[in-house]
């Protein structure tokens, strides 16, 4: 039976129906809300409030209190109102807050609308970087992917991450490893998302090491910028990162069902045994490293494809990555489609499986957690199975026909 015999054109249209329902329902909820809240009583833009408030704090000379929860809450209430239903913590390095200083001059709702439009533009930029001849249909397919919707509706930065890594991929494919690493280094507002690409570059030899050199250069420049422009915030961030980040999933009110990593998988499955969950994560982490090494030995696959396929390793090796960060999976999806066209029936089936897992994994985890006390985050085993299938396909077909 062909790999995609079940994936008929009629069934593929379900993705467009679901995508339209997601975006339409969200927009309706925004229009039916009031006082900055949507119809469900949530802050419009949800996580965007933390970015906006961080920019507002810098603009009002409160950089020293950027990682003080009470000061953050006071700032959020100052810009949103006392009816703010929840607290949104700013967790990124201080240089990222600088990006939102100009956004904080605008009224909150207008600022969020501008950020949302910018994210959609970044999505288009990322798709163009991966496939310059891509048309509107590619953009439309991407909009049906739940992580893309989550990045926009949550007011998050997943599509900024996508655009930066897509541009880094383009520079790497063009034979400019130092520039590729330099652009990727701008993603250090979420350094854990660079684990997969960094591993691939480490295994690539001198060319990959030049990319790591570019990444290190950007890291040094961003650290210098933070130290010079925001010295108190930089010192506070160091202490905050040291105490909070190692066990962020255990933080009060952390949305564990939105965590899509191997560590999150075990934390959800073994909620009463976090130390055992972390040991199991460390025990299985070498499988991700082995996969990266296997990509280097695969007879089929260009260096550019290896970088694209290294990105999913982040979700195996990183301590945390959220639903909107799964937007990065568009990079290996586009490049597999382009570089190995003879495998498209298989890729289509794998894409459908990951699309479905991303859509259902969080709600299933919430439901299982409430009824059983534990949950299975299906996105991780589905992603692991997809990558194993890709590795098998690369080993089976010795010629690469489509890579740059």
């Amino acid at each position: 039976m062909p790999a995609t015999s079940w994936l008929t054109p009629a069934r593929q249209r379900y993705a467009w129906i679901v995508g339209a329902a997601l975006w339409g329902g969200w927009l309706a909820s925004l229009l039916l809300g009031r006082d900055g809240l949507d119809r469900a009583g949530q802050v419009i833009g949800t996580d965007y409030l933390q970015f906006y408030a961080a920019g507002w704090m810098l603009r009002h000379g409160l950089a020293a209190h950027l990682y003080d929860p009470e000061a953050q809450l006071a700032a959020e209430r100052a810009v949103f109102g006392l009816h703010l239903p929840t607290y949104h913590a700013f967790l990124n390095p201080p240089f990222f807050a600088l990006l939102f200083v100009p956004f904080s001059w605008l009224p909150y709702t207008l600022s969020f609308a501008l950020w949302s439009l910018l994210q959609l533009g970044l999505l288009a930029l990322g798709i163009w970087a991966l496939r310059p001849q891509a048309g509107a249909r590619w953009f439309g397919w991407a909009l049906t992917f739940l992580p893309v919707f989550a990045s926009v509706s949550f007011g998050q930065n997943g599509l900024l991450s996508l655009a930066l890594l897509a541009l880094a991929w383009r520079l790497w494919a063009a034979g400019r490893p130092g520039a590729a690493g330099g652009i990727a280094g701008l993603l250090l507002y979420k350094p854990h998302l660079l684990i997969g690409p960094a591993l691939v570059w480490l295994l690539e030899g001198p060319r990959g090491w030049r990319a790591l050199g570019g990444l290190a250069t950007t890291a040094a420049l961003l650290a210098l910028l933070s130290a010079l422009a925001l010295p108190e915030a930089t010192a506070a961030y160091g202490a905050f990162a040291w105490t909070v980040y190692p066990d962020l999933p255990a933080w009060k009110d952390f949305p564990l069902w939105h965590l899509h990593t191997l560590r999150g998988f075990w934390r959800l499955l073994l909620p009463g045994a976090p130390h055992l969950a972390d040991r199991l994560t460390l025990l299985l982490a070498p499988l991700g490293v082995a996969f990266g090494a296997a990509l280097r030995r695969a007879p089929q696959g260009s260096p550019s494809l290896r970088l694209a396929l290294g990105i999913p390793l982040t979700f195996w090796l990183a301590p945390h990555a959220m639903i909107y960060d799964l937007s990065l999976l568009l990079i290996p999806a586009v490049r597999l489609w382009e570089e190995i066209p003879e495998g498209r029936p298989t890729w289509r089936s794998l894409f459908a499986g990951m699309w479905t897992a991303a859509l259902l994994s969080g709600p299933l985890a919430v439901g299982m957690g409430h009824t059983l006390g534990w949950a299975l985050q299906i996105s991780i085993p589905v992603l692991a199975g997809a990558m194993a299938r890709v590795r098998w396909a690369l080993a089976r077909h010795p010629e690469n026909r489509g890579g740059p």
Side-chain angles (χ1 to χ4, degrees), residues 22-353:
L22 285 173
W23 289 95
W26 174 61
L27 291 173
S29 179
L30 297 185
L31 293 173
L32 294 173
R34 54 183 300 180
D35 298 326
L37 303 177
D38 63 18
R39 190 67 179 86
Q42 299 295 319
V43 174
I44 290 176
T46 316
D47 293 347
Y48 183 70
L49 180 58
Q50 69 200 38
F51 303 141
Y52 182 95
W56 185 92
M57 290 179 73
L58 295 190
R59 187 160 60 84
H60 285 81
L62 299 172
H65 304 285
L66 192 58
Y67 300 98
D68 179 345
E70 292 185 2
Q72 286 183 2
L73 177 58
E76 291 174 3
R77 285 178 171 167
V79 300
F80 192 83
L82 296 178
H83 63 291
L84 177 68
T86 55
Y87 159 60
H88 300 262
F90 180 73
L91 304 175
N92 302 93
F95 70 81
F96 192 63
L98 289 170
L99 174 63
F100 293 93
V101 171
F103 284 92
S104 73
W105 283 97
L106 299 172
Y108 176 79
T109 303
L110 178 60
S111 180
F112 169 64
L114 181 61
W115 177 247
S116 300
L117 291 174
L118 178 60
Q119 281 216 83
L120 293 175
L122 290 167
L123 173 62
L125 175 63
I127 293 174
W128 171 85
L130 295 167
R131 189 181 188 271
Q133 67 273 32
R137 189 171 179 82
W138 287 68
F139 184 81
W141 273 114
L143 290 178
T144 71
F145 191 35
L146 180 67
V148 170
F149 167 77
S151 187
V152 176
S153 61
F154 291 4
Q156 263 292 341
N157 48 36
L159 301 182
L160 174 60
S161 305
L162 169 68
L164 289 174
L165 276 185
L167 289 171
W169 174 88
R170 187 168 181 82
L171 290 166
W172 171 257
R176 300 176 60 190
I183 289 293
L186 295 174
L187 190 54
L188 285 167
Y189 58 85
K190 282 188 172 179
H192 49 283
L193 296 185
L194 290 169
I195 290 177
L199 175 62
V200 171
W201 283 333
L202 182 65
L203 297 173
E204 280 289 323
R207 184 176 179 230
W209 302 339
R210 289 197 295 274
L212 291 175
L215 194 159
T217 300
T218 298
L221 291 174
L222 290 175
L224 182 62
L225 171 65
S226 292
L228 293 178
L230 302 167
E232 294 176 314
T234 301
Y237 176 74
F240 175 84
W242 181 261
T243 56
V244 172
Y245 275 143
D247 201 19
L248 186 61
W251 213 23
K252 183 182 178 182
D253 298 326
F254 185 86
L256 196 59
W257 60 90
H258 279 322
L259 190 61
H260 294 266
T261 63
L262 181 62
R263 187 188 192 195
F265 172 84
W266 288 117
R267 285 287 185 110
L268 281 165
L269 193 62
L270 303 168
H275 297 298
L276 174 59
D278 289 350
R279 291 191 189 99
L280 289 170
T281 301
L282 291 174
L283 183 65
L284 293 175
L287 291 178
V289 179
F291 179 85
L295 289 177
R296 187 72 180 86
R297 298 191 302 269
Q300 183 179 23
S302 64
S304 64
L305 183 60
R306 287 197 291 272
L307 177 60
L309 293 178
I311 289 173
L313 293 179
T314 292
F315 302 97
W316 191 264
L317 299 171
H320 56 272
M322 309 300 282
I323 180 63
Y324 35 80
D325 296 320
L326 286 175
S327 300
L328 298 180
L329 295 180
L330 292 176
I331 297 176
V334 172
R335 293 318 308 167
L336 276 172
W337 191 265
E338 286 298 289
E339 296 197 31
I340 311 180
E342 65 272 21
R344 286 177 180 176
T346 297
W347 310 151
R348 186 180 287 111
S349 181
L350 296 181
F351 298 165

